Amino acid sequence: MLRKIEHNRRSFLAGLGGLAVATQMPGPIRLARAADGDRAYCPPPSAWTDLAKAMQGPVLRPEDPNFADVCRPNNLRYNIPPQGIARCEKAEDVLTCIQWVKKHNKPFAVRSGGHNYAGFSSTPGLLIDMSLMKGVEPVGKDGLVRVEGGISNALVYKSLERMGRTITHGRCDAVGAAGFLLGGGIGFNMRLLGIGSDLLTATDLVTAEGELHSANDTHDRDLFWACRGGAGGNFGINTAFTLQTYPVSTVSVFKLTWEGGNLTEVLTDLLEQLNSAPKEFGSKISVTMPSLAERCAGKGISLSVLGQLHKCDKTLETIFGKCWETATKKVVKPDIAYWEGQDFLSESPYPYYYQEKSSYMMANRLTKAAVGEMMELAHKLPGTAMPVAFKFFQLGGTINQMKPTETAYVHRGFDWLFTVEMNWWQPTDPPAQVEANLIWQQNFYNLANQQTGAVGAYQNFSDPTLGDWPIAYYGENYPRLQKVKKQVDPKSLFTFAQAIQPA
């Protein structure tokens, strides 16, 4: 590890206490060229020493013992070793990194949790690692909380639990809160409180020009609008978020499972029945197809619903209707402390290989015929060493009270967010087997969209195979996002395969 001998402070950043978030490039990597051509890609060793001296946090190189652990992403498809890792501790470090990559024309990526589905937080250049920036502090007495950009969901949970507060948050405790918030942010509270970015009241970020912007509803309003759903890595490196939080009390959590029988009928009934649930109810329906080994052991397709219910005038039995009695297994924890309930709902997935595809659906198009077509194709999955699933995340409620153009998150007015995943393991699954399953995934996605009239795609489930991604992710908001991009990053310093392009 390169030891820092000194560090630079910028007076306008002093006392920021910030957070840095966002993402940047992998995929087809675009490298800015210097006058002397490709040599800009390989700066002299002294450049790395200079970076280490200017940083408050450490700079890791490939020879450092924990280098591989720090740079490993959650999606192992994009385990691209960088030339160096800058572990930012303060917002000053973020500015130092931006100045350094501009000086040396280095490709770079910014990472908090490393869960970018399409590898946009991986790079062969400089990895700007935000995971050491993980502070949380209350702001005033109105339930506002300021979080730093490298914080993970797990640390947000612990801090909010001590405060007796909550936000809309995800289930995976290793996901970085920054990427989660910038792309929207879905979770079981979203029907009650709105998506994560709806709770954002301010954000600080360092732009391509090395300037600190504090964006909110009254200052840098267009930039603030863009940060509420415009996805990480597009407009700068966000160094702080201020969020509106809400008090917690008790919640009922559950997981209901159906195995065997007519799962087409069960899934059709669930999609119809749960659509009329109150906004205090949040759920995710999963149809899980077994791995090849599980299939050989006699395991079949299963269906489950995971979720929670805040206190209201409805019971779980009433919300599920006749589906409640047909479940083959029920795990229910009624009226327990809120954060105890989140422990039941949370997950900690290990790094593996995957691809996810998503779209938005209306309940009235999820007919028995459409569901039947999906279930029929599910039985034709070639299979890998890992289970895979297609899922329905329940939308509606408070999410749909905002207009599509009110924030950059355009996906309002829908009932369900649909996803179909593909998971595999190397070298257990040979390339030809993986390819066959990815073809199945694309066919399944096409079928589901055609049968249900689904549209769009969730920008936080970035899909490297998506064709018209600007419209799928951002819809009618894309032209305005392009104008904001032109204002703050006209030369596209922040770029990746699906980056917003300046107008």
Side-chain angles (χ1 to χ4, degrees):
M1 180 176 71
L2 295 173
R3 304 292 180 183
K4 63 179 188 296
I5 299 174
E6 62 185 67
H7 59 263
N8 297 327
R9 292 185 180 272
R10 305 295 188 269
S11 58
F12 71 92
L13 285 174
L16 177 62
L19 142 155
V21 11
T23 58
Q24 238 233 186
M25 115 183 329
I29 294 171
R30 201 195 76 153
L31 175 62
R33 298 294 181 185
D36 60 347
D38 290 340
R39 281 181 294 171
Y41 189 80
C42 302
S46 60
W48 293 101
T49 304
D50 292 342
L51 177 62
K53 288 179 179 180
M55 290 275 297
Q56 297 185 49
V59 175
L60 303 182
R61 297 301 305 281
E63 61 270 20
D64 287 304
N66 60 339
F67 181 88
D69 292 333
V70 174
C71 73
R72 183 181 298 114
N74 182 259
N75 191 344
L76 294 178
R77 295 179 75 186
Y78 306 103
N79 193 11
I80 302 167
Q83 290 182 315
I85 305 172
R87 306 207 71 190
C88 298
E89 292 184 353
K90 298 290 183 181
E92 295 96 322
D93 286 347
V94 177
L95 179 59
T96 296
C97 290
I98 290 299
Q99 292 171 335
W100 190 87
V101 297
K102 289 173 69 176
K103 178 180 179 180
H104 297 286
N105 267 355
K106 289 289 291 185
F108 70 99
V110 186
R111 179 185 296 177
S112 52
H115 286 251
N116 188 282
Y117 285 22
F120 298 153
S121 60
S122 296
T123 179
L126 176 67
L127 180 60
I128 302 175
D129 172 32
M130 312 303 300
S131 61
L132 299 181
M133 299 178 63
K134 50 192 178 185
V136 178
E137 60 181 4
V139 180
K141 299 180 179 180
D142 298 323
L144 296 178
V145 171
R146 179 186 174 92
V147 301
E148 292 187 327
I151 196 166
S152 66
N153 278 343
L155 294 177
V156 172
Y157 301 163
K158 293 181 184 300
S159 299
L160 292 181
E161 182 175 6
R162 287 192 289 269
M163 300 176 191
R165 314 286 294 187
T166 192
I167 57 173
T168 295
H169 54 81
R171 294 176 55 230
C172 180
D173 55 17
V175 165
F180 173 85
L181 290 168
L182 290 169
I186 63 171
F188 290 130
N189 284 338
M190 61 184 170
R191 303 184 73 245
L192 179 64
L193 305 178
I195 60 170
S197 59
D198 292 345
L199 308 185
L200 188 62
T201 65
T203 183
D204 296 339
L205 67 164
V206 175
T207 63
E209 294 303 314
E211 298 175 344
L212 176 67
H213 289 252
S214 296
N216 54 43
D217 259 337
T218 59
H219 185 265
D220 275 334
R221 293 184 64 182
D222 287 343
L223 182 57
F224 179 60
W225 174 89
C227 287
R228 300 174 76 188
N234 279 303
F235 307 105
I237 301 178
N238 295 65
T239 57
F241 298 99
T242 303
L243 297 163
Q244 180 65 60
T245 68
Y246 294 87
V248 298
S249 55
T250 62
V251 67
S252 296
V253 295
F254 58 87
K255 183 176 182 180
L256 275 58
T257 304
W258 292 258
E259 295 175 328
N262 190 344
L263 294 184
T264 295
E265 184 174 339
V266 174
L267 179 55
T268 305
D269 290 344
L270 282 169
L271 290 166
E272 179 181 0
Q273 181 71 24
L274 299 186
N275 191 53
S276 60
K279 66 181 182 180
E280 291 83 1
F281 179 84
S283 74
K284 181 189 74 170
I285 302 173
S286 299
V287 179
T288 303
M289 293 149 279
S291 67
L292 286 172
E294 289 172 330
R295 200 183 299 179
C296 291
K299 186 176 179 63
I301 295 177
S302 64
L303 190 159
S304 64
V305 183
L306 182 73
Q308 68 181 24
L309 177 65
H310 289 272
K311 285 186 176 180
C312 66
D313 60 358
K314 301 288 185 180
T315 65
L316 288 173
E317 291 89 337
T318 301
I319 292 169
F320 276 93
K322 64 180 181 180
C323 297
W324 183 262
E325 297 302 326
T326 62
T328 55
K329 183 179 181 181
K330 300 187 188 77
V331 180
V332 181
K333 296 189 175 185
D335 295 323
I336 61 176
Y338 176 82
W339 285 108
E340 180 184 348
Q342 304 318 299
D343 290 340
F344 172 83
L345 297 171
S346 68
E347 62 178 356
S348 302
Y350 55 83
Y352 59 104
Y353 301 81
Y354 57 86
Q355 178 171 283
E356 190 123 3
K357 303 184 72 66
S358 65
S359 56
Y360 289 82
M361 295 180 172
M362 299 298 296
N364 60 5
R365 296 293 301 272
L366 287 160
T367 63
K368 188 174 182 178
V371 171
E373 292 277 355
M374 285 187 271
M375 291 299 297
E376 182 178 347
L377 189 52
H379 284 281
K380 298 177 181 178
L381 171 74
T384 70
M386 300 181 68
V388 302
F390 63 95
K391 306 170 186 178
F392 301 86
F393 298 82
Q394 190 167 7
L395 304 175
T398 302
I399 301 170
N400 293 345
Q401 292 177 7
M402 277 193 174
K403 297 178 181 178
T405 57
E406 201 165 337
T407 70
Y409 184 85
V410 74
H411 312 294
R412 312 286 180 171
F414 296 97
D415 299 315
W416 299 95
L417 168 58
F418 165 80
T419 71
V420 55
E421 66 188 24
M422 183 49 59
N423 311 318
W424 67 93
W425 190 253
Q426 293 179 355
T428 306
D429 295 308
Q433 183 75 4
V434 173
E435 181 64 21
N437 280 275
L438 289 174
I439 291 172
W440 174 92
Q441 182 193 37
Q442 184 66 56
N443 291 338
F444 189 94
Y445 181 70
N446 293 343
L447 172 74
N449 288 351
Q450 291 165 4
Q451 292 293 321
T452 65
V455 297
Y458 180 34
Q459 48 267 49
N460 270 356
F461 293 165
S462 45
D463 175 4
T465 69
L466 200 58
D468 193 7
W469 59 265
I471 299 303
Y473 293 153
Y474 307 115
E476 61 190 296
N477 288 337
Y478 189 66
R480 184 176 174 186
L481 287 166
Q482 289 184 287
K483 292 179 181 178
V484 176
K485 179 73 170 180
K486 184 177 181 180
Q487 292 171 5
V488 297
D489 187 17
K491 296 181 180 179
S492 288
L493 175 71
F494 295 93
T495 189
F496 51 96
Q498 293 179 345
I500 293 169
Q501 299 300 307

